[in-house]
Amino acid sequence: MPVARGAPGAAQRFEFDVVVVGGGIAGLSAALGATEAGARAVLVEKAPLPERGGNTRFADAQMRFPHEPDEFGHRRYTADEMYDDLMRISSGRANPDLIRTLCDRAADTIEWLTAFGVEWEEGYPHTAGYRRMPKAGGQGLVDLLYRRLEGLSVPVSYQTAASDLILDPDGSVCGVRCTSPEGVVDLEAAGGVILACGGFQANVEMRVRYLGRFADSLILRGSRYNTGEGLTMAMAAGAAPAGQWGDYHSAVLDARSPAVECGVTALYNYQMGIFVDSRGRRFIDEGEDFRDHTYVKFSKRIIEEAGGRAWCLFDQRAYQREEFARAWRPVGPPFEAATLTDLARDIGVPGEDLLETVAAYNAAVQGGDYDLDRLDGKGTRGITPPKSNWALPLDSPPYLAIPVTGGITFTFGGLGCDARARVRHTAGHVIPGLYAAGEPMGEFFYDNYPGASSVIRGAVFGRIAGHEAAARVRARPG
Ligand SMILES: Cc1cc2nc3c(=O)[nH]c(=O)nc-3n(C[C@H](O)[C@H](O)[C@H](O)COP(=O)(O)OP(=O)(O)OC[C@H]3O[C@@H](n4cnc5c(N)ncnc54)[C@H](O)[C@@H]3O)c2cc1C
């Protein structure tokens, strides 16, 4: 519950201009943004130092942004195209103001990160060329930004978990109560509090409450520390929940991934093969759209339609392609066999059914130019489900099978915010002094997810929130 300024219970009390809760890309951008705008910021991070960096540290941290034709040979990608892509993938449900701001601010935020020393490389193949990733990945990105904060003498308090907002009598947020190794600490903030502390994906009770009973056993891809306190404490202070609380981001994972903090164990090459369920039957149009626009929803179909476990099958024609390895970090070796009958035996799938599935699929493959960089229309005819693009017969042994499942990365539900990262009250007005950035923001993603959008969201809105909170300090009388 929110506490009043000066309420009993805190062993210590400190004053800053801006308190940032959470130290992934959103929190780091917020703290750097507030500092460059002249505010005295502090960052509180629940994890100990070696585990700082939240989900961001587990990610490749690929970022989508508008750009001119680039050094990697990719065509121009405009802010309007990015806007259209993000709105289309949410079926028009995302908040247009938030998406517009994200798309309009992404390119200059990339430049801002570059000025801190981030070096970039080309993103994963076959994504239409709109993304980059830091050469050092998400871990390198957060380490670099923490070093920049340290260089600016911004204090970072590790193992410090925010638990309750501190309110003034008029309902404005003036600080946050935290639990630290030194006990309960009140951090007061004249400019406000920026919640950048992730979603509720690591909280099994909230997962089941909002996503459903199946969600208790999902593999957690990222940080164990994102357990939803930011959302809970904001709503306890009147913040409006917003966005799709019943859905989440996930990916098609190697089913052998560790249960918690497994990192990048996703198969991003499934469009080169076919999925079969435990009965050896196809159930997904693997070539429906670019991988970036299907991996989240396919992972949920594996959970919902295949009982949480399926197989991705490939032959040597796929396996020998250079892109195959670039789009897969193996957790273990694939199952491999000279015949489909042997493969079926090894993976415990009925052999006759698998042979029948593959024979029907192979017979349905149509001619055309195979091109993974575009929706090549080289599909199947006469089978259900079809494979709409990139269909090649599976006939080049030895055959490979990788066990797949769906995991959870972050949750879609969050707080209602405006494009200035200010959190809305259920009554409609903004809550003075309360900001959100990154995963705690709702209204970006619905049912599906446009690849490479979350890290850039954290950077864009973290920076905005930092500037806004700093401006609020400057605007105070006296
Ligand atoms: C394996 C993997 C791969 C991914 N790949 C990509 C990708 O390539 N591109 C992309 O755009 N997205 C990707 N994502 C998603 C993306 O990484 C995250 O959604 C994004 O980085 C979230 O940033 P954030 O700052 O909002 O949250 P986080 O980086 O999760 O940071 C939140 C921080 O808040 C802290 N915290 C939590 N509760 C409290 C509390 N009560 N008090 C204080 N601190 C608290 C946590 O410890 C954590 O450090 C990937 C995620 C994973 C796990």
Side-chain angles (χ1 to χ4, degrees):
M1 292 304 288
V3 293
R5 194 199 286 264
Q12 297 183 75
R13 197 175 66 81
F14 299 95
E15 286 179 19
F16 295 91
D17 290 337
V18 176
V19 179
V20 179
V21 180
I25 184 65
L28 290 162
S29 301
L32 287 164
T35 306
E36 73 182 2
R40 284 179 311 118
V42 62
L43 190 149
V44 294
E45 167 53 52
K46 188 170 152 189
L49 188 152
E51 296 175 53
R52 69 184 183 186
N55 261 1
T56 314
R57 81 180 171 104
F58 292 95
D60 286 328
Q62 312 221 19
M63 297 185 220
R64 178 193 290 249
F65 66 100
H67 59 80
E68 294 302 318
D70 67 11
E71 68 272 30
F72 304 112
H74 300 304
R75 68 168 178 83
R76 185 169 187 237
Y77 185 60
T78 66
D80 286 345
E81 272 179 278
M82 180 166 163
Y83 177 87
D84 289 344
D85 282 344
L86 268 58
M87 291 306 288
R88 177 171 57 85
I89 301 299
S90 75
S91 305
R93 295 176 69 195
N95 179 320
D97 291 342
L98 297 178
I99 300 294
R100 189 77 253 174
T101 301
L102 173 59
C103 299
D104 287 349
R105 300 293 303 272
D108 70 78
T109 302
I110 292 284
E111 274 178 35
W112 184 69
L113 291 172
T114 307
F116 286 120
V118 179
E119 294 182 278
W120 305 94
E121 64 184 29
E122 192 179 10
Y124 279 6
H126 316 309
T127 52
Y130 43 62
R131 47 158 86 186
R132 301 285 172 284
M133 55 195 239
K135 277 187 181 159
Q139 181 74 64
L141 174 67
V142 294
D143 286 345
L144 175 77
L145 298 182
Y146 273 106
R147 283 200 299 278
R148 292 290 170 263
L149 272 189
E150 285 154 16
L152 293 165
S153 303
V154 177
V156 179
S157 184
Y158 296 104
Q159 292 177 274
T160 301
S163 59
D164 305 283
L165 292 172
I166 304 174
L167 301 189
D168 272 332
D170 64 359
S172 59
V173 172
C174 59
V176 66
R177 178 163 282 190
C178 303
T179 307
S180 76
E182 284 77 44
V184 174
V185 185
D186 280 355
L187 301 177
E188 293 181 5
V193 172
I194 301 172
L195 298 174
C197 43
F200 60 84
Q201 59 271 10
N203 180 332
V204 73
E205 188 273 340
M206 287 182 81
R207 271 197 336 237
V208 171
R209 182 153 34 121
Y210 294 109
L211 305 178
R213 58 182 297 196
F214 73 91
D216 63 349
S217 55
L218 293 173
I219 290 174
L220 178 68
R221 303 182 68 209
S223 171
R224 68 182 70 225
Y225 295 101
N226 288 357
T227 44
E229 294 95 46
L231 302 172
T232 307
M233 73 178 99
M235 291 188 295
Q244 197 175 26
W245 275 74
D247 208 353
Y248 62 101
H249 180 284
S250 57
V252 177
L253 302 185
D254 190 314
R256 299 165 294 184
S257 306
V260 174
E261 298 185 340
C262 69
V264 183
T265 61
L267 264 75
Y268 289 128
N269 51 15
Y270 53 75
Q271 73 275 31
M272 299 182 209
I274 60 170
F275 288 117
V276 295
D277 62 18
S278 58
R279 296 168 309 148
R281 303 294 185 195
R282 287 183 60 247
F283 61 105
I284 282 176
D285 175 354
E286 302 87 350
E288 178 186 295
D289 199 345
F290 283 112
R291 186 262 332 288
D292 242 11
H293 300 156
T294 58
Y295 72 93
V296 171
K297 66 179 187 180
F298 284 0
S299 76
K300 291 174 202 163
R301 292 187 58 188
I302 293 170
I303 296 290
E304 288 161 18
E305 294 171 37
R309 176 76 165 226
W311 297 91
C312 200
L313 306 187
F314 303 99
D315 69 357
Q316 292 302 310
R317 213 197 306 255
Y319 189 55
Q320 298 301 333
R321 293 185 72 94
E322 180 252 330
E323 305 94 325
F324 187 96
R326 282 180 64 203
W328 176 47
R329 312 260 170 82
V331 171
F335 289 77
E336 182 174 334
T339 66
L340 287 169
T341 306
D342 288 349
L343 189 67
R345 185 201 56 225
D346 293 349
I347 65 177
V349 164
E352 279 185 19
D353 293 339
L354 187 69
L355 285 174
E356 196 181 293
T357 297
V358 174
Y361 166 76
N362 285 351
V365 171
Q366 302 296 297
D369 290 334
Y370 182 78
D371 184 352
L372 288 164
D373 281 323
R374 62 184 177 88
L375 299 175
D376 65 5
K378 185 174 156 31
T380 58
R381 186 184 300 158
I383 53 169
T384 306
K387 182 170 180 182
S388 298
N389 294 284
W390 313 302
L392 289 174
L394 204 78
D395 59 3
S396 176
Y399 300 100
L400 307 170
I402 299 170
V404 289
T405 187
I408 185 165
T409 323
F410 63 87
T411 40
F412 288 170
L415 305 173
C417 299
D418 68 7
R420 293 166 61 185
R422 301 180 303 178
V423 174
R424 279 199 317 268
H425 193 275
T426 49
H429 60 270
V430 297
I431 299 177
L434 186 61
Y435 303 86
E439 291 181 1
M441 302 180 86
E443 297 185 292
F444 280 86
F445 310 122
Y446 291 81
D447 295 328
N448 199 3
Y449 167 84
S453 305
S454 191
V455 175
I456 189 69
R457 168 182 66 164
V460 165
F461 285 98
R463 185 182 176 209
I464 289 174
H467 289 173
E468 287 285 338
R472 193 161 171 272
V473 182
R474 288 198 304 272
R476 282 166 63 89

